[in-house]
């Protein structure tokens, strides 16, 4: 089956998106390949299609456990067999997944990077036939990047295990030229091919709004626009507060952050995707892998620390190619907030050593012990036990990770899983009470594949279906586990701490110059670029982004707030005044259809001038756009 047949059969697409086919061809020809595709550019297709064409297994290294699970579930729904490996799995789950790989019953295996630290796991991979190695979020391997992860450096060892003849596909949505070169060097690319789509998003307008009272500006933006929206903030508390504010103001909204239970995440995500909720107020935990093309507005209520993060998040708007807005709401205090993030991200070295020592005490890991072991790590309890400020403590752990001592794995929430392990004949002889019997029968009715593999289940859904409490369902499943009828793995919400070396005495902890001082300098440069993007009033917003990512074509976009303001100053306000008067005297309560406005005013003022006038009035809050109609506010 050729690549086009596979695309149509499994994904239902008639053709590839720009650059996808070129990347796939390069991979199939055996070349080391780097793909730079913007958010929503369809990176997954570039390795999933070749995986079904190549004879062996495709390994995919990805840092996001939650996204890994979603990918495996999505592939299963399309008839593609995939497995995953990460530290949150039980021994039985790991063994089952490895057996599937050995028997050729899986085409794609997703790996979390910390698994590459395990020599036993690498030895098991050596016995598999691997045809392709994929490095997703490849910028994580570069110490020049904004999201460096030390465990990614072990990928070079993985290349030696599976054989240097196996091609590598590295994928990322945002990387500067410096980071791009570093990715290829660290992955040992041989005669690489690089495919990069432009960072230009012609349908996306970058707007910055200055406001001392951000809530009022947020309401103004959302009231003067229509369609599905995302509002990005940087704290879980603020997601709840702003969602509540919007609801009180009559705007449909929900909150989303990493601390929600899996059932809540899925429910809120589905409500938003199905347009039952218009606005999702979220931390950056929301958006990765979510394929919703019709997002019309992305608002940054709090600023990210780098343009890489901003570009990825803003890029979730307008994936359908239609007009969309990326609005950053900033106040005078935001400059100081960005500056403080640098010092919070790099606490002094004495504090870092103290955090390392306290972590060992907290986990009862003796000096000289712990190497290659993963420990459940209740971060909140750790901070309260030793009176540590959470933000610097978390960043201290990340710095210790870059220095090679521990790795703090923060993806905390794992969904409940269950597999039936008793023979079908023996199940009939079970003596169960009525509640447990009802729960077991409901599990068998609601979920398929339970006799062959671990399946994600929801205790909340089971409780609703049976009119029981979640606790009753939980206890029934535990009882079935004690009878060895099922293997039940309840949901867990604890992060992990992985010791990449044996525990050292504090006096032997050395934080290298490259890990601390050089990284701090790089973060300072990224923060300054972010400040320049939002606070400088010269040039063009889109042009600033393109220049940051190394693109030379930085002509004015004509659509950002700076370009519009410059045009407003340079061009007479005639069309603006005329459009304002037409809307003010419109007979229909719903305003004027845009096509009609263009038909009557276009011949006199030009279609572009009328469109600019509408945009100008919208940006000033003087008109509202609803579907195909515009009306005065």
């Amino acid at each position: 089956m050729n690549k086009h047949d596979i695309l149509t059969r499994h994904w239902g697409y008639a053709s590839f998106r720009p650059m996808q086919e070129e990347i796939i061809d390069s991979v199939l020809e055996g070349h080391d390949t780097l793909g730079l595709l913007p958010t929503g550019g369809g990176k997954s297709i570039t390795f999933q299609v070749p995986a079904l064409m190549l004879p062996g297994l495709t390994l995919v290294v990805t840092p996001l456990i939650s996204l890994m699970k979603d990918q495996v579930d999505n592939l299963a729904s399309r008839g593609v067999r995939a497995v995953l490996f990460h530290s949150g799995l039980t021994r039985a789950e790991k063994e089952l997944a490895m057996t599937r790989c050995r028997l050729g019953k899986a085409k794609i295996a997703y790996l979390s990077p910390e698994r590459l630290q395990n020599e036993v796991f690498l030895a098991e991979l050596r016995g598999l036939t691997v045809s392709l190695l994929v490095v997703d979020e490849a910028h994580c391997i570069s110490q020049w990047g904004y999201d460096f992860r030390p465990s990614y450096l072990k990928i070079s060892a993985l290349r030696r295990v599976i054989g240097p003849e196996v091609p590598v596909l590295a994928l990322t949505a945002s990387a500067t030229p410096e980071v791009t070169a570093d990715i290829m060097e660290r992955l040992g690319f041989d005669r690489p091919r690089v495919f990069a789509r432009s960072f230009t998003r012609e349908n996306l307008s970058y707007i910055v709004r200055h406001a001392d009272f951000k809530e009022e500006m947020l309401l103004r933006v959302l009231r003067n626009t229509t369609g599905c929206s995302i509002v990005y903030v940087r704290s879980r508390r603020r997601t709840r507060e702003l969602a509540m504010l919007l609801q009180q103001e009559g705007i449909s909204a929900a909150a989303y952050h990493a601390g929600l239970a899996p059932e809540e995440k899925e429910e809120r995500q589905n409500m938003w995707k199905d347009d039952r909720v218009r606005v999702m107020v979220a931390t950056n935990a929301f958006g990765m892998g979510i394929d919703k093309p019709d997002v019309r507005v992305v608002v940054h209520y709090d600023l990210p620390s780098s343009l890489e993060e901003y570009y990825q998040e803003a890029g979730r708007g307008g994936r359908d190619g239609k007009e969309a807005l990326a609005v950053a709401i900033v106040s005078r205090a935001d400059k100081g907030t960005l500056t403080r993030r640098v010092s919070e991200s790099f606490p002094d070295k004495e504090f870092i050593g103290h955090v390392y020592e306290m972590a060992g005490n907290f986990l009862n890991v003796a000096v000289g012990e712990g190497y290659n072991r993963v420990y459940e790590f209740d971060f909140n309890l750790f901070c309260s036990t030793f009176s540590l400020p959470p933000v610097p403590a978390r960043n201290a752990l990340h710095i210790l990770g870059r220095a090679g001592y521990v790795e703090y794995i923060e993806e905390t929430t794992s969904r409940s899983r269950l597999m039936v392990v008793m023979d079908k004949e023996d199940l009939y002889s079970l003596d169960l009470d009525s509640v447990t019997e009802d729960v077991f029968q409901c599990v068998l009715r609601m979920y398929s594949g339970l006799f062959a593999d671990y399946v994600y289940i929801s205790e909340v859904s089971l409780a609703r279906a049976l009119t029981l409490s979640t606790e009753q369902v939980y206890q029934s499943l535990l009882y079935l586990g004690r009878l060895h009828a099922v293997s039940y793995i309840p949901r867990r919400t604890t992060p992990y701490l992985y010791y990449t070396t044996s525990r050292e005495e504090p006096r032997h902890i050395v934080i290298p110059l490259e890990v601390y001082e050089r990284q701090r300098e790089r973060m300072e440069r990224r923060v300054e670029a972010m400040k320049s993007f939002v606070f400088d009033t010269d040039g063009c917003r889109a042009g600033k982004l393109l220049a940051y990512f190394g693109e030379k074509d930085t002509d004015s976009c004509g659509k950002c707030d700076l370009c519009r303001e410059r045009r407003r100053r340079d061009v007479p306000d005639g069309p603006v005044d005329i459009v304002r008067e037409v809307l003010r005297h419109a007979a229909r309560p719903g305003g004027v259809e845009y096509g009609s406005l263009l038909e009557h005013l276009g011949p006199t003022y030009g279609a572009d001038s009328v469109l600019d006038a509408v945009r100008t009035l919208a940006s000033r809050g003087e008109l509202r756009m609803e579907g195909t109609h515009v009306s005065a506010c």
Side-chain angles (χ1 to χ4, degrees):
M1 191 179 298
N2 64 40
K3 60 194 174 189
H4 292 283
D5 291 338
I6 288 173
L7 182 71
T8 302
R9 176 178 175 180
H10 292 283
W11 284 272
Y13 299 139
S15 61
F16 290 100
R17 295 182 188 178
M19 210 68 74
Q20 284 181 330
E21 191 167 7
E22 293 89 335
I23 292 174
I24 290 170
D25 288 340
S26 177
V27 167
L28 293 175
E29 291 166 9
H31 296 284
D32 289 341
T33 307
L34 175 62
L36 290 130
L37 296 177
T39 300
K43 294 188 290 296
S44 297
I45 291 288
T46 63
F47 65 81
Q48 290 170 347
V49 168
L52 298 181
M53 300 177 68
L54 295 168
L57 184 69
T58 292
L59 299 180
V60 183
V61 181
T62 178
L64 297 167
I65 295 173
S66 58
L67 182 57
M68 191 190 300
K69 295 171 185 172
D70 291 340
Q71 291 265 6
V72 170
D73 290 345
N74 184 266
L75 286 170
S77 70
R78 299 179 185 279
V80 180
R81 296 169 297 180
V83 297
L84 51 81
F85 296 93
H86 61 80
S87 296
L89 299 180
T90 64
R91 181 186 296 273
E93 287 179 296
K94 293 172 188 174
E95 290 175 352
L96 180 61
M98 187 58 71
T99 299
R100 290 182 177 279
C101 293
R102 289 196 194 98
L103 297 177
K105 293 185 176 180
K107 291 298 294 179
I108 302 175
Y110 288 86
L111 319 176
S112 61
E114 84 277 354
R115 295 300 301 155
L116 304 180
Q117 312 268 13
N118 189 306
E119 295 298 331
V120 174
F121 180 71
L122 288 177
E124 290 179 311
L125 291 180
R126 190 175 280 112
L128 303 177
T129 301
V130 178
S131 297
L132 175 63
L133 172 61
V134 180
V135 183
D136 197 16
E137 307 296 334
H139 56 270
C140 293
I141 201 171
S142 173
Q143 294 196 51
W144 297 94
Y146 73 97
D147 195 20
F148 171 62
R149 309 218 177 178
S151 52
Y152 261 60
L153 298 176
K154 291 291 183 179
I155 297 176
S156 57
L158 177 60
R159 287 208 74 175
R160 293 192 293 270
V161 167
I162 62 177
E165 73 282 357
V166 176
V168 177
L169 170 60
L171 296 167
T172 183
S174 56
T176 62
E178 182 181 49
V179 171
T180 299
D182 201 26
I183 290 170
M184 291 189 287
E185 180 181 349
R186 291 186 179 278
L187 289 175
F189 270 30
D190 180 33
R191 293 177 289 112
R193 290 186 176 181
V194 179
F195 298 90
R197 278 181 59 183
S198 172
F199 286 89
T200 302
R201 291 288 306 277
E202 293 182 355
N203 64 313
L204 196 57
S205 300
Y206 298 101
I207 308 293
V208 174
R209 288 286 173 259
H210 295 266
D212 290 328
F213 300 98
K214 289 190 175 186
E215 293 92 343
E216 293 179 6
M217 181 59 72
L218 175 63
L219 291 170
R220 179 175 167 183
V221 168
L222 293 175
R223 283 170 176 160
N224 290 323
T225 56
T226 59
C228 182
S229 307
I230 306 173
V231 177
Y232 279 113
V233 297
R234 290 186 64 89
S235 76
R236 297 178 182 183
R237 176 179 56 81
R238 190 164 283 169
T239 64
R240 296 187 295 269
E241 292 174 349
L242 285 185
M244 188 178 298
L245 169 69
L246 295 179
Q247 291 165 6
Q248 291 169 349
E249 294 293 329
I251 297 173
S252 173
Y256 188 104
H257 56 75
L260 295 174
E263 295 84 5
E264 290 180 288
K265 286 182 181 177
E266 186 173 0
E267 182 179 6
R268 295 182 190 190
Q269 183 174 306
N270 288 338
M271 289 175 66
W272 180 76
K273 289 172 71 173
D274 296 340
D275 295 322
R276 288 177 284 152
V277 166
R278 179 193 167 196
V279 182
M280 188 66 77
V281 185
T283 60
N284 61 3
F286 183 75
M288 294 296 289
I290 295 175
D291 187 17
K292 184 167 174 60
D294 60 342
V295 178
R296 300 272 67 87
V297 184
V298 177
V299 179
H300 277 88
Y301 190 90
D302 296 327
L303 294 177
S305 300
S306 70
L307 284 175
E308 288 95 334
E309 295 168 86
Y310 174 80
Y311 179 79
Q312 283 203 2
E313 292 164 8
R316 290 174 186 135
R319 291 184 183 182
D320 56 4
K322 298 178 182 178
E323 290 288 323
L325 296 174
V327 182
I329 301 177
V330 301
S331 69
R332 286 173 291 185
D334 283 330
K335 269 190 179 181
T337 300
L338 286 171
T339 301
R340 280 196 303 277
R341 282 192 203 151
V342 177
S343 57
E344 289 176 345
S345 298
F346 292 89
D348 63 64
K349 292 183 177 181
E350 184 179 343
F351 178 80
I352 295 171
H354 178 66
V355 168
Y356 177 81
E357 183 179 17
M358 293 304 100
N361 295 345
F362 182 70
L363 297 171
N364 292 316
V365 178
V367 172
E369 300 295 328
Y371 171 65
N372 208 27
R373 290 192 60 184
V374 178
Y375 298 87
E376 289 191 3
F377 188 69
D378 189 329
F379 178 76
N380 292 329
L381 180 60
F382 169 65
C383 289
S384 63
T385 300
F386 298 103
S387 302
L388 297 170
V391 173
R394 180 179 286 105
N395 289 319
L397 290 171
H398 290 318
I399 291 170
L400 288 163
R402 291 196 289 269
Y405 292 102
V406 296
E407 183 150 359
Y408 177 48
I409 304 162
E410 284 192 86
E411 285 203 64
T412 60
T413 305
S414 62
R415 292 158 61 188
S416 300
R417 288 101 72 196
L418 185 142
M419 181 171 71
V420 179
V421 294
M422 185 175 282
D423 291 337
K424 291 184 180 180
E425 294 76 13
D426 295 333
L427 289 174
Y428 293 109
S429 63
L430 288 175
D431 184 19
L432 303 176
D433 61 72
S434 61
V435 172
T436 304
E437 175 72 28
D438 289 345
V439 169
F440 195 25
Q441 291 300 322
C442 190
V443 167
L444 295 175
R445 286 196 306 270
M446 288 180 63
Y447 302 100
S448 59
L450 290 161
F451 290 89
D453 202 350
Y454 284 92
V455 173
Y456 293 114
I457 66 168
S458 167
E459 293 89 345
V460 173
S461 298
L462 289 166
R464 287 175 181 167
L466 294 167
T467 322
L468 296 172
S469 69
T470 306
E471 181 63 22
Q472 286 176 296
V473 171
Y474 173 69
Q475 292 299 333
S476 295
L477 294 174
L478 286 178
Y479 180 64
L480 288 166
R482 288 195 292 271
L483 294 177
H484 303 291
V486 303
S487 175
Y488 170 51
I489 305 163
R491 174 170 64 92
R492 290 186 294 183
T493 57
T494 303
Y496 301 96
L497 197 67
Y498 174 71
Y499 273 80
T500 48
T501 65
S502 300
R503 182 183 172 183
E504 302 275 2
E505 293 183 11
R507 58 194 174 93
H508 293 147
I509 298 299
V510 177
I511 308 298
L513 192 72
E514 181 61 36
V515 168
Y516 191 87
E517 285 81 3
R518 296 286 182 269
Q519 285 286 357
R520 182 179 176 121
E521 291 170 6
R522 290 165 190 151
M523 184 176 182
E524 287 172 346
R525 289 199 295 271
R526 287 193 292 271
V527 165
E528 287 305 314
M530 191 72 229
K531 287 182 186 177
S532 174
F533 177 78
V534 296
F535 290 108
D536 289 356
T537 56
D538 60 323
C540 163
R541 306 266 185 219
K544 291 173 188 286
L545 274 175
L546 293 175
Y548 182 80
F549 289 114
E551 292 195 26
K552 302 301 182 184
D553 184 13
T554 57
D555 292 339
S556 297
C557 69
K559 298 196 298 184
C560 72
D561 60 305
L562 296 181
C563 288
R564 293 179 187 180
E565 177 61 23
R566 189 160 50 250
R567 186 186 296 112
R568 189 189 69 79
R569 291 195 305 264
D570 296 342
V571 177
D573 221 20
V576 173
D577 293 334
I578 294 297
V579 170
R580 184 189 290 116
E581 286 303 308
V582 169
L583 296 179
R584 187 173 294 162
H585 295 94
R588 293 180 69 255
V592 177
E593 189 177 13
Y594 177 70
S596 174
L597 193 68
L598 202 61
E599 181 181 347
H600 286 88
L601 300 182
T604 303
Y605 297 98
D608 289 343
S609 295
V610 175
L611 176 60
D612 287 340
V614 169
R615 286 173 171 163
T616 298
L617 290 169
S619 67
R620 296 176 185 175
E622 294 185 46
L623 67 76
R624 183 196 310 272
M625 303 181 71
E626 297 180 354
T628 60
H629 287 72
V630 292
S631 59
C633 292

